Amino acid sequence: MSSDNRPSADGTDTQSTQEARLGEGVDSRFNSTLREAFGSTPFILTKFDKFMNWVRGSSMFMLQFGIACCSIEMMHTYAVKHDLDRFGAGVPRASPRQADVIIVPGTICTVSGGPFQEGYNVVKGAEEVIPCDIHVPGCPPRPEALIYGVAKLQERIANGESAPVTVKPYELEQFGDLERDELVEKLADRIDEDDLVMRYNWAESP
Amino acid sequence: MSLEEPEPDEGVIEAAEEVGVTTDGLDYDELAELVGDRLLDREEHVNAEGFVVRPDEVQDVLFDLRDEAGFDHLSCVTAQEYDDRYESIYHLKKYDDPTQELSVVVPSPTDDPRNESANPVYRTADWHEREAYDLVGIEYDDHPDLRRILLPETWQGHPLSQDFDGEEPQIVTLREHANPLQEDHRADDADTMFVNIGPHHPATHGVLHIETVLDGEQVADLEPDIGYLHRCEEQMCQQGTYRHQIMPYPDRWDYISAGILNEWAYARAAEDLADIEVPEYARVVRTMSAELCRIAAHMLAAGTFALDVIGDFTATFMYAVQQRERVQDILEDLTGQRLMFNYLRLGGVAWDVPEPREEFFEKTRDYLDDLPENVREFHNLLTSNEIMQLRTVDTGVLPPEEARSYGATGPVARGSGIDYDLRRDDPYGHYDQLDWDVVTEDGCDNYSRLLVRLREVEQSARIIEQCVDLLEDWPEEDRETQANVPRTLRPDPDTEVYRAVEAAKGELGIYIRSDGTDKPARFKIRSPCFSNLQTLPVMSEGEYIPDMIASLGSLDIVLGEVDR
Ligand code: SF4
């Protein structure tokens, strides 16, 4: 991939092709250490897909999505000291349209229901609703843990892996098709027979 | 402690004229006379007496108590179901002296739980009663808008009533999720426009949905829609044992690092309920750690306010986070946690300050030494910033009378010139032994509220400094961090207590009723943000929409605490 580019053995400096092409007095902006390591006429041979995966993993836009306590630590991860931007993942975007990654920081409480597992109103894990790639445990996870999670995600992306879809199939049914239990009877005068409805069973979620 | 005499505000009846006030507290007999025949019974609660009144005479009694006896602060409305009845409790206080308390207890029958709404007397009752209806199922006659507030409209059942089955499925129609804006919604002759702000929007500080009607650039009507973060906190606390299982939850109410302040609210109520005396050393440690939390919380408030108002994510916000990191570092040394501290215990604190003590104190001192310079930086960046001033001075005006009626507390009330701070007025911890001032500003606008927070940071630093001095010289043999508390607490049945502390956002109150077991029969949280958020329409109606965003930022709400 690279040819050797060293001063000749007798000590007289030879001009590298690279220097020759850049010419005299040009600033060394383009001469990064990385470029130097690749030698005088660097080129990379790789599969296009692999390259694209690497690119995608190295420039992830996060959705600015602060929903509960975990998001306070998430903000700290973005900000000074932990500075997630160093890992190519620190720019929060305000709209999902511009974002590649959603971190779900809480209140679904996110991995399993967390401390609110027994609550009447808390969905027990984001995976009930959307497919997830990485779970970062903790209540809340420390910034270091979140960074680790992001790094793991980058690894997965670089390897071209994506989330297995394990979402619970909440199928919409017509109201008329539901089993006529007490609840359905009660709602009968408010919902039409052919309205599509979703039935969330708290008892069956993990 | 240096106390500034609170100046009497206009419109508030002078203390001398109030019925039932004597030199050593309240004379409940005199108050009972004021209520007269309408009084059915008198109950003893730990914090105050409870006057039992008929459900159809609530307004009448409350009007008298407000106008004749000076109870101008409806702190909280608790609703609960007993085996044989429902009950609403109106916890009344006075802004001038919150130690003068009275509970008005309104029982109603199980088969038809309803009583008169307190809404005409105290505007804050609006949301509190909606919550009581939502979670417990009591109906309030004469209420302007009795709908669910925390749970979705489609919800079936009232989760804190006795016959609720948490396993029962919920049925939601697809129609409910239709986007109201999807179709062209502009009527031909209308010149107003409906805009949804949130629930997912960077300026809403979490998941808050504001339904706004705009007339041009001005807000014609506005309605906060809350409940997205409702996490059954009260149910969780009712399922936990007093001694250890409840304490982790307060950390998650106001989660902007204000954990210890919240824990203290629970600790104070439970300690009063079970009659536990906290050792003085532990009280000082509590005071110090609580004020560290307050600094962290106010710093985030300033940082996010800058983000909302001048869109500054790069400088001010980062500076604020930097400050918080340092505080969190100290708190981590002390508690082992960055955010969810779980540090207080009933009767004291979990453990002493870490060894080597000198190092810990030095680290804290270093931080305090740098603080004045850092606060000055915030003043440079924010309060003396011309754009900031243009955006915040005289916008979002909240007059003190409105603030009182809506039960606003904390920096929001103090920014409207209401001299009300429970750390001084209803002392707990070590605050009454220390030298510090209550900060008030009387601009009543967004700018004042920011200023109050920044100035309070300095006062907190003063408090911490004095605590560090005290702790440093404390003789080793009486560093008692924990009182002797029985392994299992079983307070006497039917003891009721309502106690509040000054949390980062204001008055955080807890009502607990015991039933003789090791778990509370009713656990009610009075969240300051819940009441403060109610003032948003007052501040914003008729104003420009960007000013509404600034007002929302200056309220510094945490949705975890609003929705609980
Ligand atoms: S997991 Fe814990 S810290 Fe995170 S949102 Fe849930 S309660 Fe808050």
Side-chain angles (χ1 to χ4, degrees):
Chain A
M1 228 198 289
S2 70
S3 65
D4 243 354
N5 174 30
R6 297 232 169 81
S8 57
D10 58 8
T12 53
D13 278 354
T14 47
Q15 198 184 31
S16 73
T17 329
Q18 181 190 353
E19 282 160 356
R21 267 200 285 121
L22 283 170
E24 202 73 47
V26 173
D27 68 38
S28 55
R29 242 178 322 164
F30 305 110
N31 292 342
S32 64
T33 333
L34 180 65
R35 191 181 198 287
E36 237 139 57
F38 279 141
S40 55
T41 48
F43 64 93
I44 297 172
L45 204 57
T46 181
K47 286 191 195 137
F48 179 75
D49 288 352
K50 213 166 164 94
F51 174 70
M52 281 313 285
N53 283 337
W54 175 76
V55 168
R56 278 171 50 212
S58 312
S59 163
M60 301 194 297
F61 284 9
M62 307 302 214
L63 180 64
Q64 182 176 351
F65 192 49
I67 44 179
C69 356
C70 282
S71 63
I72 302 298
E73 285 292 71
M74 184 180 77
M75 272 158 43
H76 278 249
T77 317
Y78 288 144
V80 283
K81 188 167 175 186
H82 297 99
D83 193 6
L84 190 60
D85 216 2
R86 291 175 297 163
F87 302 89
V91 189
R93 309 296 301 190
S95 158
R97 272 182 223 169
Q98 304 162 348
D100 304 316
V101 182
I102 301 183
I103 299 176
V104 186
T107 292
I108 297 164
C109 280
T110 300
V111 178
S112 63
F116 302 102
Q117 234 208 352
E118 285 161 30
Y120 51 81
N121 188 32
V122 175
V123 176
K124 286 139 192 86
E127 211 147 6
E128 296 257 305
V129 188
I130 48 171
C132 301
D133 278 286
I134 300 285
H135 295 90
V136 184
C139 178
R142 295 177 62 91
E144 294 88 333
L146 183 56
I147 292 176
Y148 181 76
V150 169
K152 280 283 160 201
L153 179 63
Q154 288 173 328
E155 225 170 77
R156 293 197 61 166
I157 296 174
N159 292 337
E161 297 166 18
S162 66
V165 180
T166 53
V167 186
K168 269 195 173 180
Y170 284 115
E171 275 164 22
L172 290 165
E173 299 168 80
Q174 284 195 342
F175 186 69
D177 293 346
L178 291 181
E179 204 185 309
R180 310 291 292 188
D181 58 11
E182 206 184 322
L183 179 67
V184 174
E185 294 291 345
K186 208 166 114 197
L187 291 170
D189 54 337
R190 259 182 282 168
I191 304 178
D192 291 341
E193 289 282 296
D194 50 2
D195 256 354
L196 289 176
V197 296
M198 189 195 94
R199 192 183 157 100
Y200 190 91
N201 271 340
W202 299 95
E204 279 168 28
S205 71
Chain B
M1 180 175 151
S2 65
L3 296 184
E4 292 163 27
E5 272 305 309
E7 288 172 30
D9 295 276
E10 299 161 52
V12 174
I13 308 143
E14 286 290 317
E17 294 171 22
E18 290 170 2
V19 175
V21 179
T22 59
T23 39
D24 42 30
L26 278 182
D27 181 355
Y28 286 107
D29 293 335
E30 222 175 285
L31 287 171
E33 240 166 72
L34 175 70
V35 181
D37 293 344
R38 295 166 297 185
L39 184 65
L40 300 182
D41 195 8
R42 284 166 69 170
E43 291 179 1
E44 275 305 325
H45 298 178
V46 177
N47 59 311
E49 272 201 28
F51 283 7
V52 184
V53 304
R54 290 171 49 89
D56 54 359
E57 285 177 337
V58 177
Q59 283 178 11
D60 216 25
V61 171
L62 290 181
F63 266 124
D64 279 353
L65 287 172
R66 186 192 73 182
D67 297 336
E68 310 285 328
F71 288 101
D72 55 353
H73 181 26
L74 173 61
S75 176
C76 180
V77 181
T78 303
Q80 54 185 328
E81 187 184 358
Y82 285 86
D83 290 337
D84 58 343
R85 65 179 189 278
Y86 281 85
E87 195 176 276
S88 310
I89 307 178
Y90 296 86
H91 301 278
L92 305 181
K93 287 189 179 187
K94 295 178 184 178
Y95 272 104
D96 282 344
D97 180 5
T99 56
Q100 299 185 12
E101 297 175 69
L102 178 68
S103 304
V104 174
V105 181
V106 189
S108 52
T110 306
D111 51 355
D112 183 25
R114 59 172 65 245
N115 63 254
E116 234 174 34
S117 164
N119 187 51
V121 196
Y122 305 99
R123 288 292 290 120
T124 184
D126 182 348
W127 280 21
H128 281 280
E129 286 174 346
R130 272 176 71 187
E131 185 193 318
Y133 162 71
D134 190 359
L135 300 185
V136 183
I138 301 180
E139 313 233 349
Y140 293 87
D141 293 332
D142 219 9
H143 189 285
D145 185 21
L146 197 63
R147 291 179 286 132
R148 288 191 181 271
I149 185 166
L150 296 178
L151 291 168
E153 282 291 319
T154 55
W155 192 269
Q156 295 298 316
H158 302 280
L160 296 184
S161 65
Q162 286 186 349
D163 56 3
F164 181 75
D165 170 14
E167 308 276 86
E168 191 172 276
Q170 295 285 337
I171 294 178
V172 183
T173 59
L174 185 63
R175 193 156 29 92
E176 282 294 325
H177 295 292
N179 179 356
L181 299 183
Q182 204 157 33
E183 278 166 31
D184 191 3
H185 57 285
R186 208 177 323 140
D188 287 336
D189 50 349
D191 47 4
T192 58
M193 183 166 116
F194 175 79
V195 174
N196 282 309
I197 299 175
H200 166 221
H201 185 277
T204 53
H205 293 222
V207 262
L208 166 69
H209 175 204
I210 306 177
E211 295 162 3
T212 328
V213 177
L214 295 182
D215 182 359
E217 184 81 346
Q218 280 167 314
V219 178
D221 185 31
L222 166 157
E223 158 98 43
D225 168 25
I226 63 173
Y228 291 87
L229 228 76
H230 180 55
R231 297 191 284 193
C232 350
E233 301 271 11
E234 288 174 8
Q235 177 212 13
M236 290 289 105
C237 292
Q238 280 164 212
Q239 287 175 0
T241 53
Y242 290 104
R243 190 77 163 83
H244 291 299
Q245 291 180 350
I246 295 179
M247 200 56 96
Y249 286 99
D251 285 323
R252 289 159 180 85
W253 302 339
D254 173 1
Y255 44 68
I256 314 283
S257 296
I260 294 177
L261 294 157
N262 305 347
E263 287 168 25
W264 206 338
Y266 167 59
R268 189 173 187 205
E271 280 155 6
D272 277 2
L273 182 75
D275 207 7
I276 300 167
E277 184 69 31
V278 184
E280 198 181 353
Y281 181 76
R283 289 209 300 267
V284 180
V285 178
R286 279 183 176 188
T287 310
M288 175 190 72
S289 49
E291 290 308 307
L292 281 166
C293 285
R294 193 182 310 274
I295 293 185
H298 282 359
M299 282 296 173
L300 192 77
T304 48
F305 190 49
L307 191 59
D308 291 344
V309 175
I310 49 178
D312 184 359
F313 186 65
T314 38
T316 325
F317 186 79
M318 293 296 169
Y319 281 26
V321 173
Q322 202 174 21
Q323 293 301 307
R324 283 171 50 84
E325 283 286 354
R326 288 189 67 182
V327 179
Q328 283 188 316
D329 239 16
I330 298 173
L331 283 168
E332 190 182 348
D333 286 351
L334 180 66
T335 67
Q337 280 283 338
R338 278 171 56 87
L339 197 63
M340 302 302 175
F341 308 107
N342 192 14
Y343 178 60
L344 301 198
R345 295 285 180 273
L346 298 189
V349 293
W351 45 68
D352 201 351
V353 294
E355 294 289 347
R357 291 166 70 88
E358 306 75 47
E359 241 170 64
F360 175 78
F361 292 135
E362 198 186 307
K363 192 168 175 177
T364 315
R365 283 233 171 78
D366 278 351
Y367 175 68
L368 296 179
D369 288 345
D370 296 345
L371 194 71
E373 179 58 36
N374 292 325
V375 172
R376 210 168 308 136
E377 220 157 38
F378 275 95
H379 281 297
N380 279 339
L381 282 162
L382 293 178
T383 51
S384 54
N385 175 334
E386 208 175 318
I387 304 175
M388 187 72 160
Q389 289 176 356
L390 283 171
R391 293 281 320 271
T392 55
V393 174
D394 280 339
T395 61
V397 175
L398 179 69
E401 316 80 59
E402 297 270 9
R404 283 203 185 84
S405 176
Y406 278 102
T409 48
V412 176
R414 293 195 284 275
S416 287
I418 300 173
D419 192 24
Y420 181 75
D421 189 324
L422 292 177
R423 288 174 292 173
R424 180 200 61 196
D425 299 337
D426 182 11
Y428 56 97
H430 207 64
Y431 289 109
D432 53 350
Q433 319 277 316
L434 304 172
D435 188 21
W436 59 283
D437 300 315
V438 174
V439 176
T440 56
E441 288 285 335
D442 24 54
C444 306
D445 54 7
N446 292 334
Y447 187 72
S448 303
R449 290 186 276 277
L450 172 66
L451 219 52
V452 166
R453 292 204 179 88
L454 287 178
R455 287 178 54 201
E456 274 184 14
V457 167
E458 289 165 359
Q459 296 300 329
S460 295
R462 274 175 76 186
I463 297 175
I464 299 169
E465 203 163 348
Q466 295 168 54
C467 290
V468 170
D469 288 344
L470 283 171
L471 293 177
E472 216 166 24
D473 301 334
W474 211 281
E476 195 170 342
E477 55 287 359
D478 20 272
R479 290 182 198 151
E480 205 186 328
T481 54
Q482 174 79 54
N484 215 345
V485 181
R487 222 183 164 66
T488 318
L489 276 182
R490 283 199 186 78
D492 299 334
D494 271 317
T495 331
E496 296 173 50
V497 66
Y498 175 73
R499 274 278 178 251
V501 300
E502 187 72 29
K505 323 290 191 229
E507 178 176 340
L508 176 60
I510 305 292
Y511 167 87
I512 303 178
R513 174 170 64 89
S514 63
D515 57 359
T517 65
D518 56 351
K519 295 172 183 167
R522 179 79 173 100
F523 191 100
K524 160 86 190 153
I525 308 158
R526 187 265 182 206
S527 126
C529 295
F530 184 76
S531 300
N532 290 353
L533 180 59
Q534 256 187 298
T535 61
L536 185 64
V538 180
M539 295 177 175
S540 329
E541 273 166 16
E543 303 281 328
Y544 289 121
I545 189 159
D547 292 343
M548 190 276 278
I549 297 294
S551 305
L552 182 61
S554 81
L555 281 175
D556 187 24
I557 48 161
V558 180
L559 270 302
E561 200 180 62
V562 174
D563 297 344
R564 283 151 291 144

